[in-house]
Amino acid sequence: MARSTRQITLDAPRNRGGMLSRTPQPSSDRFGRFSESFARAMGTSGFLIGMTIFVTIWLVWNSVLPEEWQFDPKATNFTLLTLILSLQASYAAPLILLAQNRQDDRDRVQIEQDRQRAERNLADTEYLAREIVALRMAINERSSEVVTRETLRSELKAILEQLDGRDTHGDGGSRSEKPERAERSGRSERSSS
């Protein structure tokens, strides 16, 4: 078997001949950034002022100076200037449209992100509103169940009477415990006042 005499290099990917064998392809992102910067530059007042100065100098140069110095004479209706401006317009229009398309794509992504954020905010707001309603309901239940001193005293007296009633019916309580319970209930009434 014949072995390959080609030396393996670690600086190039496998099964590729390296940079020289690939056909160069322009990056669409790089070209898109270029088109945006071009469109942004054309939309400035500096560009308009510069273009106006350029055209004015061109027209004055080719109208006033002697014919030997004119490279686009007035007699030919400034054909070269017309061609230059037409060429500039033919390249400017597609580049501006490309920049607008890229901006539309970014706006679409931003709108989707804003919509998702708004949905999350709405869900959070609804959750918080439900929690506030639950807290209000719990507070209302608690306020309706507020125990006043009078209610507490009457409840304690009823419990004390039930306990005294058990002792008199022979629940194992002695007569000596009754005065102690009465004394304890009297202390609890005074402490709750």
Side-chain angles (χ1 to χ4, degrees), residues 152-172:
L152 185 60
R153 283 183 188 145
S154 64
E155 290 292 324
L156 286 174
K157 283 180 184 177
I159 291 172
L160 186 61
E161 288 172 2
Q162 284 178 350
L163 289 174
D164 286 342
R166 283 189 202 164
D167 287 341
T168 57
H169 292 340
D171 289 342

Side-chain angles (χ1 to χ4, degrees), residues 23-128:
T23 57
Q25 296 177 350
S27 170
S28 61
D29 191 44
R30 189 178 307 151
F31 189 71
R33 285 195 307 262
F34 167 74
S35 67
E36 286 177 339
S37 62
F38 181 81
R40 197 173 298 121
M42 285 192 71
T44 62
S45 58
F47 176 79
L48 293 175
I49 291 170
M51 194 65 166
T52 303
I53 291 170
F54 171 77
V55 170
T56 303
I57 290 172
W58 185 289
L59 293 176
V60 169
W61 182 281
N62 290 301
S63 299
V64 177
L65 292 177
E67 282 190 23
E68 309 82 57
W69 289 8
Q70 294 178 3
F71 52 88
D72 189 19
K74 182 179 181 181
T76 59
N77 292 327
F78 306 109
T79 308
L80 185 58
L81 177 65
T82 306
L83 288 173
I84 289 172
L85 292 177
S86 297
L87 181 66
Q88 183 229 355
S90 68
Y91 275 100
L95 288 173
I96 291 170
L97 287 174
L98 178 63
Q100 286 176 345
N101 289 341
R102 284 175 53 91
Q103 185 62 43
D104 288 343
D105 291 342
R106 277 197 301 272
D107 290 344
R108 195 174 302 114
V109 168
Q110 184 65 38
I111 287 169
E112 179 62 25
Q113 289 174 348
D114 289 345
R115 187 188 63 77
Q116 290 173 354
R117 191 177 303 119
E119 285 178 357
R120 284 192 306 265
N121 289 341
L122 180 63
D124 290 345
T125 304
E126 288 175 351
Y127 171 75
L128 290 174

